Amino acid sequence: MRIPFSAAFGAATLIGTIGYTIADNVINVGPVQAAFGDLAGPFIIVLVAFFLVPSLALLGRSRIARGWLSLAVLAGAAFLVWAAQFFYADDVIREFPIAMMITQIAGVIALWFPGADDWFNRRDEACRA
């Protein structure tokens, strides 16, 4: 069975946005260094392990990775809404990449479209002996 467009779009969107964020933190480690001090390196390793590796696992039809990343992106969006209540909305918009969050939400929604959902749930057909 070929990968449906919605699954490919969702996976590519999440791989691209998460990969860009991690690469940006590796190249511009200053803000991460300021926030985490000597733990900047381990923080970036945790980002790779908890977000980039599962996003790559989407291409292998990992239902766990789809659920994990869906929860992580929705939790991040909920955090932004919560933060906007206590801080000036302009500060939240400037400090957090809102466009990146909206793009990731679009990728998560695409992963749950009916075509992608069937593709993730029908793993047994691909492994017939």
Side-chain angles (χ1 to χ4, degrees), residues 3-12 58-59 110-111 115-117 119-120:
I3 185 169
F5 176 76
S6 57
F9 175 79
L58 291 174
L59 297 176
L111 290 178
D117 194 42
W119 185 73
F120 278 105

Side-chain angles (χ1 to χ4, degrees), residues 76-129:
F79 173 75
L80 289 181
V81 170
W82 175 81
Q85 293 176 6
F86 295 102
F87 305 106
Y88 292 112
D90 292 341
D91 291 341
V92 172
I93 290 171
R94 270 187 264 126
E95 292 296 323
F96 295 99
I98 298 297
M100 184 84 67
M101 183 58 65
I102 292 170
T103 306
Q104 288 179 347
I105 290 172
V108 165
I109 290 170
L111 290 178
W112 292 94
F113 273 10
D117 194 42
D118 284 345
W119 185 73
F120 278 105
N121 290 330
R122 288 200 204 164
R123 294 169 34 140
D124 297 333
E125 288 183 11
C127 300
R128 283 189 197 167

